[in-house]
Amino acid sequence: MVRTFKISVLCLLFSLGATAKSIHYTLSMSEPHTHLFEVEMRLDGSGAKETVALPVWTPGSYLVREYAKNVQDVSAHSEDGSRLEIKKIDKNHWEIKGKRGKDIIVSYKVYAFEHSVRTSYLNSEHALVVPASVLMYWQKNQQRTHKLHIEIPDTWSTITTALEPFNKPGNVDFTARDYDELVDSPLEIGNQHVIEFEVLGKPHVIGLYGASNYDDSTLVSDFSKIMEAEAKIFGGLPYEHYTYILHAEEGRGGLEHANSSVNFISRWSFNDEKRYKSLLALIAHEFFHTWNVKRIVPEGVANFDYDQENYLDELWMAEGFTSYYDELILQRIGHVDQDAYLEVLKDEINTLESRPGRFHQSVAEASYDAWIKYYRSNEHSKNSTISYYNKGHLIGLLLDIKIIAATNGNAGLDDVMLKLYRDFALKDKGYTSDNVRQVCEKISGLNLSSFFNNYVFGVEPLPYDEVFDLAGLKMDTTSEKSAWIGAIMRVQNGRLMITGIVEDSPAWKAGLSVKDELISIDGFRSRRSPPVYLGEKVPGDRIICTVSRNGILKDIHLTVGFTPASISELRQVVTPSEDQKVVYEKWLGVPWEKEKE
Ligand SMILES: [Zn+2]
């Protein structure tokens, strides 16, 4: 009965607003335990033939996910009640024969049971709606106002979303300026805990799903510090309100939107120091995207094509610089001290330097190929690819220090970000990697052509020593020279399997292979990873690995090598020059001399 009543009220609204040419959705979840959303989509004033489609991807996550694979029971009828012919014309488009001037109503269901920040999820407890995966668009009419009416189960009470009207308890009717805004506004529906707060005079809300040990005031205090520190870079908050959707359950991941973000964290992230830092870094990351990617937009995604890949080579900036800032901001707000921060950078350097892929793929290429490589890694990916998060982070770090040094501490990467915001975001223009170089050059007075050619578009080793020296920093390398063969192993079903081979390692050269089962070394049975016997060897020793390859035993002779060197510490030099102190202090905003305990 309740449902019928709602529909008749809605029909009245439709007829009153018929001249407004909107697209109206009714999203229901009458049996949430089945994981099926029910969607009705009304096309006002449609013509004789119309096409609707579901995107193949969602902005911010660069992989074709084929959301249409979860669509079922598609049908269409006219506003006069007659059934209309609807035909699928490719994997994600449907064509409808309508009656000129009469509204078409398209109905379908979507199965939603993949729990991630970029897929929709529905169960008996709650729903996460990622609009690109549930709400079709009306081809050629994406610019219209999109209205969304939601029918929620009786036992649920709350919808958390950035859609208008903002944070109105009990409201079930929302409006988006156009389809892009609708796609950019995920919704959490259920009985989530709602925390309201203000930052710099603007309203914010956290919708937190998942039983956990959080403390509202700590979250508000730490989130606010992060947001204020980031707003300071850009001269204020660029929106009227902001929404956090937080799932405290399992996994870690986030997805940015213009006025909101979806963040998944593990349930017990709030008391454990390391996990809580990881949560704050995630929040700092997704919130930095409010500017970097959602407003400072790479040219390749300035206008979304929802039907295919949208290529861009700027993820080293969009994701990499965002990764640089997510850790730096925690240092700026005092959540981590300078030693802990240098430790983070050391780990970031080791991550890149332990990856042979750094000699094969530039960070610009890594960005362009995100669609087929980053989200589709395999056992060879370490040898052939890098992460634009990781290398982009380090390029942001090196550029920051170079710019600070070149300007005697008068400017840094913050100024680059602000100028990109003013010159591109505020002028509604997309940017390219060349634009980033030009802005860096303008701010620093440096010629950065070779820096960009070598490290952004090329695969030259990053100039750590030269740049760190400007800030009085030094890297120490490990002196340990232990035995190493370069085969990554894992015990699977009681068998010691080779799951990775490092390029140019002894294992690579000798011919060990992924999917080999390591049976023994020098005749001694191997059962653990790493094999205990290997620990008895020293670099230069000759060994015989017996493997089972496709069920046939094989002996492989190899010479044990050295564990590759890594950075053991990134530290301040003992006797800095005045220039080094200036750069360091401007970079981290703390005195060179650490405060004595
Ligand atoms: Zn990101």
Side-chain angles (χ1 to χ4, degrees):
M1 281 307 284
V2 173
R3 192 185 146 105
T4 317
F5 170 73
K6 278 183 185 163
I7 285 176
S8 57
V9 169
L10 209 68
C11 289
L12 180 67
L13 290 173
F14 285 147
S15 54
L16 289 174
T19 49
K21 296 269 174 149
S22 315
I23 295 165
H24 300 251
Y25 302 90
T26 300
L27 177 68
S28 314
M29 49 219 83
S30 60
E31 297 178 296
H33 63 278
T34 64
H35 319 299
L36 285 167
F37 284 114
E38 301 125 32
V39 185
E40 266 193 16
M41 177 187 187
R42 186 172 184 123
L43 317 179
D44 280 4
S46 41
K49 193 158 85 176
E50 300 294 350
T51 303
V52 295
L54 197 66
V56 300
W57 71 292
T58 197
S61 186
Y62 308 96
L63 177 70
V64 169
R65 293 182 189 276
E66 310 291 20
Y67 292 127
K69 72 185 177 190
N70 294 318
V71 172
Q72 64 182 67
D73 304 336
V74 184
S75 67
H77 64 274
S78 170
E79 63 171 302
D80 63 17
S82 59
R83 204 173 175 85
L84 298 174
E85 188 185 324
I86 182 163
K87 191 172 86 182
K88 201 164 185 189
I89 52 172
D90 66 23
K91 66 180 180 181
N92 63 322
H93 290 75
W94 289 260
E95 200 175 78
I96 312 136
K97 269 194 195 158
K99 298 177 180 174
R100 191 171 294 280
K102 290 230 182 302
D103 296 355
I104 293 173
I105 296 108
V106 180
S107 308
Y108 58 93
K109 291 180 184 173
V110 180
Y111 181 71
F113 198 44
E114 186 181 345
H115 193 238
S116 85
V117 297
R118 45 188 92 97
T119 48
S120 292
Y121 185 84
L122 172 63
N123 73 2
S124 56
E125 310 297 317
H126 72 130
L128 171 67
V129 180
V130 172
S133 68
V134 174
L135 302 173
M136 292 186 188
Y137 62 85
W138 182 7
Q139 206 170 52
K140 301 200 183 90
N141 287 287
Q142 289 106 304
Q143 301 312 318
R144 289 189 180 195
T145 304
H146 286 60
K147 300 200 167 194
L148 175 60
H149 171 73
I150 301 174
E151 298 192 343
I152 62 175
D154 291 343
T155 52
W156 297 4
S157 61
T158 308
I159 301 174
T160 304
T161 177
L163 287 171
E164 301 293 345
F166 173 68
N167 195 28
K168 207 168 137 194
N171 176 54
V172 292
D173 288 288
F174 300 90
T175 302
R177 187 177 56 243
D178 52 26
Y179 187 71
D180 286 350
E181 189 177 81
L182 181 69
V183 161
D184 202 27
S185 309
L187 304 98
E188 172 69 21
I189 308 171
N191 296 313
Q192 62 273 23
H193 177 55
V194 175
I195 308 169
E196 297 167 334
F197 61 112
E198 266 195 19
V199 179
L200 301 174
K202 292 187 173 169
H204 292 70
V205 68
I206 302 172
L208 202 162
Y209 173 78
S212 181
N213 57 349
Y214 49 83
D215 171 72
D216 288 12
S217 59
T218 309
L219 279 191
V220 167
S221 161
D222 288 335
F223 281 27
S224 301
K225 280 186 212 157
I226 289 169
M227 296 161 86
E228 283 168 10
E230 296 187 358
K232 201 171 159 197
I233 299 170
F234 296 97
L237 296 170
Y239 49 72
E240 290 310 310
H241 52 76
Y242 190 90
T243 300
Y244 286 99
I245 294 174
L246 231 62
H247 282 198
E249 239 175 349
E250 56 185 14
R252 180 186 190 270
L255 192 61
E256 68 278 4
H257 302 281
N259 296 0
S260 62
S261 58
V262 179
N263 303 275
F264 281 14
I265 52 175
S266 63
R267 195 182 298 283
W268 309 115
S269 291
F270 301 91
N271 283 343
D272 178 85
E273 197 182 320
K274 210 170 147 201
R275 284 201 289 272
Y276 189 59
K277 182 189 156 279
S278 166
L279 158 63
L280 293 186
L282 177 68
I283 295 300
H285 182 99
E286 302 309 332
F287 194 69
F288 198 79
H289 277 313
T290 305
W291 294 273
N292 193 19
V293 109
K294 295 315 298 186
R295 287 173 177 80
I296 306 170
V297 182
E299 210 171 66
V301 286
N303 294 301
F304 301 127
D305 183 340
Y306 291 111
D307 285 341
Q308 60 185 29
E309 292 84 352
N310 293 227
Y311 294 101
L312 66 166
D313 68 17
E314 295 86 10
L315 287 174
W316 63 272
M317 201 300 261
E319 288 299 348
F321 283 21
T322 302
S323 298
Y324 172 54
Y325 275 101
D326 70 36
E327 297 286 354
L328 183 63
I329 290 292
L330 298 194
Q331 186 273 336
R332 280 192 190 165
I333 66 168
H335 192 80
V336 297
D337 65 20
Q338 50 188 312
D339 287 340
Y341 181 62
L342 293 180
E343 186 83 12
V344 165
L345 297 180
K346 179 205 81 177
D347 292 345
E348 207 67 39
I349 294 167
N350 281 330
T351 298
L352 179 67
E353 297 306 311
S354 64
R355 236 181 136 95
R358 72 190 187 284
F359 295 119
H360 298 283
Q361 188 187 46
S362 74
V363 76
E365 283 170 334
S367 171
Y368 196 85
D369 273 344
W371 298 89
I372 56 167
K373 293 191 176 178
Y374 184 78
Y375 287 96
R376 287 180 172 154
S377 60
N378 63 17
E379 69 279 354
H380 185 57
S381 297
K382 257 192 130 176
N383 289 327
S384 60
T385 68
I386 51 149
S387 155
Y388 44 78
Y389 289 89
N390 171 226
K391 191 171 178 185
H393 178 155
L394 294 171
I395 287 175
L397 162 70
L398 297 181
L399 277 172
D400 198 8
I401 293 176
K402 272 179 87 78
I403 295 167
I404 294 169
T407 58
N408 298 316
N410 287 314
L413 201 64
D414 284 8
D415 301 272
V416 171
M417 296 311 303
L418 179 61
K419 190 163 172 56
L420 285 166
Y421 181 59
R422 287 186 174 150
D423 291 359
F424 293 89
L426 295 184
K427 292 180 181 166
D428 257 341
K429 283 198 308 197
Y431 76 88
T432 63
S433 292
D434 272 348
N435 294 139
V436 181
R437 176 182 54 78
Q438 286 152 5
V439 169
C440 289
E441 288 180 338
K442 183 126 187 125
I443 301 263
S444 66
L446 296 168
N447 180 336
L448 293 167
S449 302
S450 60
F451 184 95
F452 273 69
N453 286 339
N454 290 341
Y455 313 125
V456 175
F457 298 105
V459 295
E460 295 296 316
L462 291 181
Y464 304 111
D465 290 341
E466 175 199 324
V467 177
F468 286 154
D469 187 58
L470 298 169
L473 292 169
K474 193 168 174 4
M475 298 192 307
D476 293 330
T477 46
T478 47
S479 51
E480 191 196 348
K481 298 265 193 254
S482 53
W484 179 75
I485 64 168
I488 298 149
M489 297 171 220
R490 190 176 299 157
V491 177
Q492 295 173 337
N493 299 327
R495 303 192 301 168
L496 185 59
M497 302 301 295
I498 296 180
T499 56
I501 300 280
V502 179
E503 186 186 62
D504 283 339
S505 65
W508 172 281
K509 289 176 184 156
L512 280 173
S513 169
V514 166
K515 294 189 181 171
D516 284 351
E517 177 189 357
L518 183 62
I519 305 288
S520 65
I521 303 175
D522 293 343
F524 297 103
R525 191 80 166 93
S526 301
R527 292 187 188 277
R528 283 203 213 152
S529 173
V532 180
Y533 177 69
L534 206 54
E536 300 293 315
K537 298 282 106 183
V538 294
D541 283 354
R542 296 279 299 165
I543 57 172
I544 302 168
C545 293
T546 303
V547 300
S548 168
R549 181 176 297 168
N550 298 325
I552 295 168
L553 292 185
K554 202 173 169 62
D555 282 346
I556 293 180
H557 297 247
L558 63 82
T559 306
V560 174
F562 292 99
T563 308
S566 61
I567 311 303
S568 58
E569 195 180 5
L570 176 62
R571 60 171 173 84
Q572 292 168 275
V573 296
V574 180
T575 48
S577 68
E578 281 311 306
D579 286 350
Q580 286 175 322
K581 280 191 189 178
V582 167
V583 173
Y584 182 90
E585 291 180 354
K586 164 77 185 180
W587 173 49
L588 290 188
V590 291
W592 172 271
E593 304 283 352
K594 282 174 220 149
E595 281 176 30
K596 300 272 184 294
E597 295 275 312

